[in-house]
Amino acid sequence: MKFLDQKIAPLGMGCWPIGGAMYSDGQSLGYTNADDGDSIRAIHAALDRGIRLFDTAAAYGAGHSEKLLARGLKRHPDAIVVTKIGIAINEDTKELTFGDTHPDRVGPAIDQCLGRLARDCIDLVLLHDNGLPVPQAEAIFNEMEKAQSAGKIRAYGWSTDFSENAAAVASRPGFAAVEHAMNVLVDAPRIQRVVEQNALAALIRSPLAMGLLGGSYTSGATVRDGDIRAGDSMVTAYFKGARANPHFLDQLDAIRDLLTVDGRSLVQGAIGWLWAKGACNIPIPGARTAEQIEGIAEALNFGALPPEVMETIESLMPRERETSPDRAL
């Protein structure tokens, strides 16, 4: 897999979970049980197993994820760092206020990310507003190009699930990647076509359906209080009332044996499904412990699911719509 002219493994580590607490209007948008020591060990475990791409955002933990990543990658300048801007943060209160998308804010936001990441240059900066109108996004990308010319970033892209948005900006010279939600439960063929037609990288957000595809959330298991997946007004459909959504659990049960073919775990099968869907796909599953990322990284030893397995999975899965059931965080 080539990304930004570097050959890397087609797998990254998502750093939303290690950010810890963050809130918007009193609603938790973070994960519980984040521990800084565990987070650093997870980053090192990822590196040890061949993962070189780390996906974070200014919003994750209101800056905390970026700072942890700086610590974990201190002796690894060759690691590829992806971060996102466009959501206003308060590092003291851990509050996210969104809507930080004025072009004048792009330069300062990138400088702040550079400071938290302790880097002179960021490999890839993404616009973090999923549904921003294209003209406003274009103004932001114009500013990102200035940062690129100044040597502060190597490339830029958009974290969006709207194929028309991605298509409108895909031909820009510095535009290198789209980050979008996709997993075996929720396919995304339209935006995948945009990525493939424009030779972009697809950073796959929610490849494990926010943990549901890990297999530990059975019909009776509940998510801890304070976790984004436990909130009553939560923005994802994978979990309802702090429990895994029965609709998705039924779908998982129908394909469980297919995902675990040849000794794969559910996680490894879910990653293999994404690789089989497209050579441009770089899943970025979130992890907060070394054990989690070690299990994920084992998918590299199995590779893509076989064609006959993919065909059977598609025959069993309802593909009613192409919309993301989660917020673009």
Side-chain angles (χ1 to χ4, degrees):
M1 170 67 68
K2 278 196 160 186
F3 180 69
L4 300 177
D5 298 323
Q6 297 185 52
K7 186 173 176 59
I8 62 168
L11 182 64
M13 175 177 161
C15 297
W16 181 0
I18 70 174
M22 57 184 186
Y23 308 91
S24 178
D25 294 328
Q27 171 71 27
S28 173
L29 294 179
Y31 286 79
T32 55
N33 296 337
D35 175 85
D36 288 358
D38 286 342
S39 298
I40 298 297
R41 285 187 285 273
I43 293 167
H44 291 165
L47 291 164
D48 289 344
R49 282 151 184 81
I51 293 173
R52 288 184 53 218
L53 186 146
F54 297 83
D55 177 89
T56 186
Y60 296 166
H64 189 58
S65 175
E66 288 183 322
K67 292 177 180 178
L68 279 177
L69 200 53
R71 288 171 52 190
L73 298 179
K74 188 174 182 179
R75 295 180 178 84
H76 300 275
D78 61 329
I80 293 173
V81 173
V82 180
T83 196
K84 310 176 196 72
I85 62 171
I87 295 178
I89 66 174
N90 185 315
E91 294 189 47
D92 295 326
T93 65
K94 303 298 182 183
E95 188 75 12
L96 313 183
T97 53
F98 294 91
D100 193 29
T101 54
H102 193 279
D104 289 348
R105 282 290 306 139
V106 173
I110 290 174
D111 287 342
Q112 290 158 11
C113 290
L114 285 165
R116 287 188 294 264
L117 289 165
R119 292 209 159 202
D120 297 324
C121 180
I122 301 169
D123 296 289
L124 178 68
V125 173
L126 303 174
L127 172 58
H128 205 170
D129 192 316
N130 197 332
L132 194 70
V134 169
Q136 291 178 248
E138 292 271 19
I140 289 172
F141 295 140
N142 288 341
E143 296 302 313
M144 288 189 182
E145 286 181 354
K146 294 178 184 178
Q148 185 182 37
S149 296
K152 294 182 178 181
I153 70 176
R154 295 183 61 206
Y156 59 87
W158 198 344
S159 179
T160 182
D161 296 298
F162 297 100
S163 56
E164 60 272 23
N165 285 358
V169 298
S171 63
R172 296 180 67 105
F175 196 93
V178 175
E179 182 172 308
H180 68 86
M182 181 177 172
N183 54 61
V184 68
L185 303 175
V186 181
D187 201 356
R190 289 196 294 272
I191 201 162
Q192 285 270 287
R193 283 194 293 272
V194 173
V195 168
E196 292 168 4
Q197 290 168 0
N198 291 277
L200 303 173
L203 304 179
I204 306 299
R205 175 171 33 83
S206 295
L208 303 179
M210 297 184 78
L212 188 148
L213 289 170
S216 59
Y217 289 102
T218 60
S219 58
T222 59
V223 179
R224 294 190 180 205
D225 291 342
D227 192 290
I228 182 175
R229 297 165 294 181
D232 291 336
S233 58
M234 196 183 63
V235 292
T236 176
Y238 298 122
F239 291 80
K240 295 291 185 183
R243 289 181 170 83
N245 187 330
H247 170 70
F248 288 121
L249 282 180
D250 288 345
Q251 291 187 17
L252 176 57
D253 285 343
I255 59 173
R256 185 181 300 269
D257 291 344
L258 293 162
L259 290 176
T260 54
V261 67
D262 297 329
R264 292 172 172 86
S265 69
L266 274 176
V267 165
Q268 294 152 9
I271 298 296
W273 181 86
L274 287 163
W275 287 333
K277 292 293 286 188
C280 60
N281 291 340
I282 305 175
I284 46 170
R288 59 177 179 78
T289 69
E291 181 181 17
Q292 287 174 345
I293 199 64
E294 286 166 357
I296 291 167
E298 279 296 309
L300 292 167
N301 294 326
F302 288 101
L305 288 177
E308 62 274 15
V309 173
M310 292 293 291
E311 184 177 349
T312 305
I313 287 175
E314 292 309 301
S315 72
L316 295 172
M317 294 297 290
R319 300 299 187 191
E320 300 170 359
R321 60 194 177 99
E322 183 188 350
T323 57
S324 168
D326 66 342
R327 172 177 282 178
L329 286 174

